[in-house]
Amino acid sequence: MTPEAITAVPLTAEAFRPFGDVLEAAGTADMVINGGRCDRFHDRARLTFGSGRAGISIFRSEAVALPCRLDLMERHPIGSQAFLPMTDAPYLVVVAVDEGGRPGPLNAFLAASGQGVNYLAGTWHAPLLALVDGAAFAVVDRIGKGENLEEFALPHGVLIVSEAAENPA
Amino acid sequence: MTPEAITAVPLTAEAFRPFGDVLEAAGTADMVINGGRCDRFHDRARLTFGSGRAGISIFRSEAVALPCRLDLMERHPIGSQAFLPMTDAPYLVVVAVDEGGRPGPLNAFLAASGQGVNYLAGTWHAPLLALVDGAAFAVVDRIGKGENLEEFALPHGVLIVSEAAENPA
């Protein structure tokens, strides 16, 4: 069976809000610090860690190529998870709200260089889909006991395509 | 009076350990996830938030040029502070341990693209010294009430020089 195709659109904070936060230096800064040399966009992520604590880990991923076949979604029911690219590395973000314990309709976004995302606890999302091989991401998520990973196999898979260049790197 | 000159050396986890953590995809990963496609360097920052909570903010800074004159150090006594570059943007890190309420001898490091740092609570450090204009950094630090900023004016200033190219970007 041919998988459904979903077109990735540029990531914006407004479109992403039901799923989480876009972390970027965009719009109006909340304060200016360091003698006027630095803009601070303050406290922009809805972080939750349940009974655990915050940790910072580094992910280094192989790249996927566009179009990209996706067979699995996952979520973290008791903690948020933020992905912060550490180099000029665009990546794909595929998310869905929960509908009775499984992902609702999928939404695909193309995150540009300089854009991080924070998934709310419980948001279904694809595993990390880097578009630059070996790209490193800082991940801020929950460290603690208890099962914080649910997976959902997509019955027929989906194909993520992009309106932008097939190789944005 | 001519300011003292300090040479910035390449940032390494070992040299930086008394001051905090280097956050990078280096050495042996702690686990391999996403079906073998992704290395996870797990929980690499000694985070503390005192009576507050973790937050993610974005800093966007003007660049300094090398050699760079530094007149002020600061520290956060009740929380750690991590800087994670979001693009290919080297930056300077200047740190000191505390000696009776003021910075001890200064140490200068050149952080390469892909290297973040986490300052331990109480570590004296320079304000953000980006070497690429407009570079964005994700900052993981304490959100909460209470005074968490101390500053120390360096009586004669210091001059940070680099053995590397004067414009590493």
Side-chain angles (χ1 to χ4, degrees), chain B residues 10-25:
Chain B
L11 179 66
T12 65
E14 185 178 1
F16 193 69
R17 192 168 308 280
F19 314 107
D21 313 294
V22 175
L23 304 170
E24 61 185 333

Side-chain angles (χ1 to χ4, degrees), chain A residues 9-98:
Chain A
V9 299
L11 179 66
T12 66
E14 185 178 1
F16 194 69
R17 192 168 309 279
F19 314 106
D21 312 294
V22 175
L23 304 171
E24 62 184 335
T28 305
D30 299 294
M31 52 191 95
V32 180
I33 60 175
N34 295 354
R37 295 194 309 106
C38 185
D39 292 325
R40 180 169 177 142
F41 302 82
H42 185 68
D43 193 20
R44 292 296 180 99
R46 290 169 281 174
L47 302 178
T48 55
F49 303 104
S51 58
R53 61 172 173 83
I56 302 178
S57 301
I58 310 296
F59 285 22
R60 180 180 59 198
S61 187
E62 292 176 18
V64 297
L66 284 167
C68 160
R69 186 187 164 103
L70 178 65
D71 289 296
L72 185 79
M73 296 285 279
E74 62 180 53
R75 66 172 180 161
H76 310 293
I78 50 175
S80 57
Q81 187 176 47
F83 283 80
L84 300 157
M86 296 184 73
T87 55
D88 294 321
Y91 58 104
L92 288 175
V93 174
V94 184
V95 286
V97 295
D98 183 67

Side-chain angles (χ1 to χ4, degrees), chain B residues 135-147:
Chain B
F137 293 73
V139 175
V140 179
D141 67 0
R142 175 185 181 275
I143 308 291
K145 293 182 179 174
E147 185 52 47

Side-chain angles (χ1 to χ4, degrees), chain A residues 121-138:
Chain A
T123 290
W124 289 101
H125 60 89
L128 179 57
L129 299 172
L131 293 171
V132 175
D133 215 32
F137 293 74

